[in-house]
Amino acid sequence: MDGDLVRSPAKDWVTLKVPVSMAEKMLDTKYHVWKHTESGDYLVRTTSYSLPTNLHDHVELVQPTTMFGRFKPEKSDIFSATPIPDSLIQATKGGSPVNAASGVTVDPSCNSIITITCLQQLYNAVGFTPSAKGNSVGITGYLEQFANQQDLQSFFADQRPDALNSSFKFVSVAGGLNNQSLAEAGDEANLDVQFAFGLSHPISPTFFSTAGMPPFIPDIGTPEDTNEPYTNWLDFILSHPSPPLAISTSYGDDEQTVPFSFAQRVCAGFAQLGARGVSLMFSSGDGGCFTNDGRNQTKFIPGFPASYDHTHPEVAVSRFFSGGGFSNFFARPSYQDKDVPAYLDTLPKGTYAGLFNPFAIPDVAAQSDLFKVFIGGQAFLIGGTSASSPAFTGFVALLNDPSLGFLNPFLYSKGFEGLNDITIGNNAGCGTPGFNASKGWDPVTGLGTPNFGKLKEIVLTV
């Protein structure tokens, strides 16, 4: 039996493959095939399971059992990738420069199209060249989202010519594929690698492709096409002797679809990476409104793993929902004890009572709309909170000399002085105006957007 077991690098997960019929006997349960009516995705799951009492102190959870999450890119349900018309390109030429919050002059074209140059101008990083020695940056890819090398070269030619002919290291996780056909180029994957690696060049880049792709129609004989992808990637990266020092993930699901015990265990793995000096960024999602407890109640639904204790970039936009807010799983960390209550005290008494709990996201903000990305040989404009995570990660990579590791205690204690406070906007949704951006931390834009010049000076003093 021991030869059939696979243990995770930290020895806290044990994987054992057994027939469903045996799992049903072991867990005193019955599995069924479930279909998600909107997406058509299928899962083999159960609604409950049990273990002998004498095992309760030794087994934290068993999966797959009650996790009904549909792992998906955190992109807006309203806005999708749109080809850039020639008329828009012509319209962006000329005009008067505008001033960013950081005091830097920004090209007026950035009101219509976001490029590497726009982000460098907006966030005060023009002219900075990092040292690539000992530094690294990574992007996680799931759901057969392929990062296309030819598109990357088109992007570099358009926005980062000094990076032409450079590329990223591809790493397959659990059989993840690397289809380089232009027809299979992934919008999410291309967005992530083009902006994270374009901003951080010449820092060593890595793209991780983790296997697993819905829709998958299971039966009792073949219930799974993959294990939960986060655990696959976590097992792999925790066994890696030198993981990238800044890693962006633009994938997740509603927090309520993830069993609490599973969320705790996954987040323990993320914490191990933070302890090793790795900075993790997760997009905070594009919104959710209704409970899945059979009552379909209106409630602000955060995303997972964004709802856990990492760095969550977000920004207030008008074309799609912004998923900032409050976790229903995790207690507020001590470093938020000053900022979050200060914001809540500004709200009229009873505002959104019963709709949220006090652990807050996001932590920071960045642009997330109108990004110019090359997909399948063509330029597109793309938006969604998934854009803010690789963008912020690119700036973190520039700061990582030496590595900053888990960022949040630094951001809330000192780093906020190097962020541009956003005080205009809101994250409307669920039939409400949502929360407002305001002075200091808020659940729309967190502590604010990066002012790289100031952040670099602060990092050198801590």
Side-chain angles (χ1 to χ4, degrees):
M1 173 69 77
D2 193 60
D4 298 327
L5 298 177
V6 178
R7 290 181 169 84
S8 67
K11 312 300 182 186
D12 52 355
W13 281 102
V14 175
T15 300
L16 175 65
K17 292 186 177 181
V18 297
V20 171
S21 57
M22 181 179 292
E24 290 177 332
K25 292 180 180 179
M26 295 170 64
L27 302 175
D28 189 23
T29 190
K30 182 70 175 177
Y31 280 86
H32 300 277
V33 177
W34 302 77
K35 179 180 179 180
H36 189 264
T37 55
E38 292 183 6
S39 68
D41 293 350
Y42 289 83
L43 288 172
V44 171
R45 292 292 188 268
T46 184
T47 56
S48 64
Y49 65 95
S50 61
L51 292 171
T53 304
N54 61 341
L55 293 181
H56 288 188
D57 291 338
H58 306 283
V59 179
E60 186 175 357
L61 74 154
V62 179
Q63 291 293 343
T65 50
T66 57
M67 179 175 174
F68 285 79
R70 296 178 305 110
F71 204 54
K72 61 184 185 297
E74 289 288 20
K75 290 181 59 184
S76 170
D77 292 329
I78 300 173
F79 177 68
S80 60
T82 305
I84 302 177
D86 292 338
S87 58
L88 179 58
I89 296 174
Q90 293 299 320
T92 59
K93 296 179 179 180
S96 301
V98 295
N99 292 323
S102 59
V104 177
T105 300
V106 179
D107 191 280
S109 65
C110 299
N111 286 317
S112 303
I113 298 176
I114 293 295
T115 64
I116 292 292
T117 299
C118 290
L119 294 177
Q120 290 172 331
Q121 292 175 350
L122 283 165
Y123 302 139
N124 193 18
V126 175
F128 178 77
T129 301
S131 170
K133 185 178 180 180
N135 204 348
S136 51
V137 59
I139 293 292
T140 62
Y142 300 93
L143 307 180
E144 293 187 6
Q145 277 279 324
F146 303 119
N148 188 272
Q149 299 277 8
Q150 184 175 333
D151 281 334
L152 181 64
Q153 296 308 311
S154 297
F155 178 84
F156 283 160
D158 181 67
Q159 301 187 34
R160 193 75 202 243
D162 60 320
L164 264 173
N165 300 319
S166 68
S167 189
F168 54 82
K169 179 182 179 182
F170 171 83
V171 176
S172 172
V173 179
L177 302 177
N178 185 24
N179 188 332
Q180 286 299 304
S181 165
L182 280 177
E184 296 299 321
D187 51 2
E188 181 68 57
N190 277 9
L191 163 67
D192 291 352
V193 302
Q194 288 172 22
F195 273 87
F197 300 162
L199 284 166
S200 60
H201 178 77
I203 293 170
S204 176
T206 300
F207 178 73
F208 298 94
S209 176
T210 302
M213 176 63 187
F216 171 71
I217 302 179
D219 56 35
I220 293 300
T222 310
E224 295 286 326
D225 64 341
T226 181
N227 293 328
E228 281 73 13
Y230 275 136
T231 57
N232 279 345
W233 182 79
L234 269 173
D235 286 348
F236 176 86
I237 201 69
L238 287 170
S239 68
H240 200 290
S242 301
L245 298 178
I247 301 175
S248 174
T249 296
S250 295
Y251 301 77
D253 208 337
D254 292 344
E255 183 186 68
Q256 64 179 351
T257 68
V258 181
F260 180 54
S261 58
F262 179 81
Q264 285 184 306
R265 178 47 50 194
V266 169
C267 290
F270 292 141
Q272 292 176 50
L273 284 174
R276 292 175 59 183
V278 177
S279 301
L280 297 174
M281 272 60 65
F282 290 83
S283 55
S284 60
D286 300 319
C289 298
F290 300 104
T291 64
N292 63 351
D293 57 3
R295 292 176 291 176
N296 205 35
Q297 290 180 310
T298 298
K299 193 169 186 178
F300 297 156
I301 305 299
F304 179 84
S307 60
Y308 184 61
D309 204 4
H310 313 291
T311 302
H312 316 108
E314 179 67 287
V315 71
V317 293
S318 59
R319 295 205 294 164
F320 46 82
F321 292 138
S322 171
F326 300 85
S327 171
N328 295 313
F329 273 2
F330 300 106
R332 184 174 66 232
S334 59
Y335 54 75
Q336 287 189 335
D337 281 347
K338 176 183 176 182
D339 297 272
V340 174
Y343 175 83
L344 295 177
D345 287 344
T346 68
L347 300 177
K349 187 175 181 180
T351 300
Y352 307 139
L355 297 184
F356 66 91
N357 288 321
F359 171 48
I361 52 176
D363 301 298
V364 291
Q367 288 287 325
S368 63
D369 200 4
L370 303 175
F371 278 49
K372 186 180 182 181
V373 178
F374 285 80
I375 306 168
Q378 184 177 357
F380 285 78
L381 290 181
I382 195 168
T385 58
S386 57
S388 58
S389 185
F392 194 89
T393 299
F395 289 104
V396 172
L398 297 180
L399 292 169
N400 265 342
D401 187 16
S403 67
L404 297 173
F406 179 41
L407 290 172
N408 287 7
F410 161 72
L411 291 172
Y412 282 86
S413 64
K414 189 70 175 177
F416 69 90
E417 296 175 0
L419 299 173
N420 307 310
D421 191 9
I422 307 301
T423 59
I424 298 174
N426 64 297
N427 57 354
C430 305
T432 76
F435 297 101
N436 289 321
S438 64
K439 185 177 180 179
W441 179 90
D442 60 69
V444 186
T445 61
L447 296 167
T449 62
N451 183 329
F452 177 77
K454 288 186 177 180
L455 283 170
K456 182 164 65 71
E457 293 176 358
I458 295 170
V459 166
L460 292 175
T461 65
V462 297

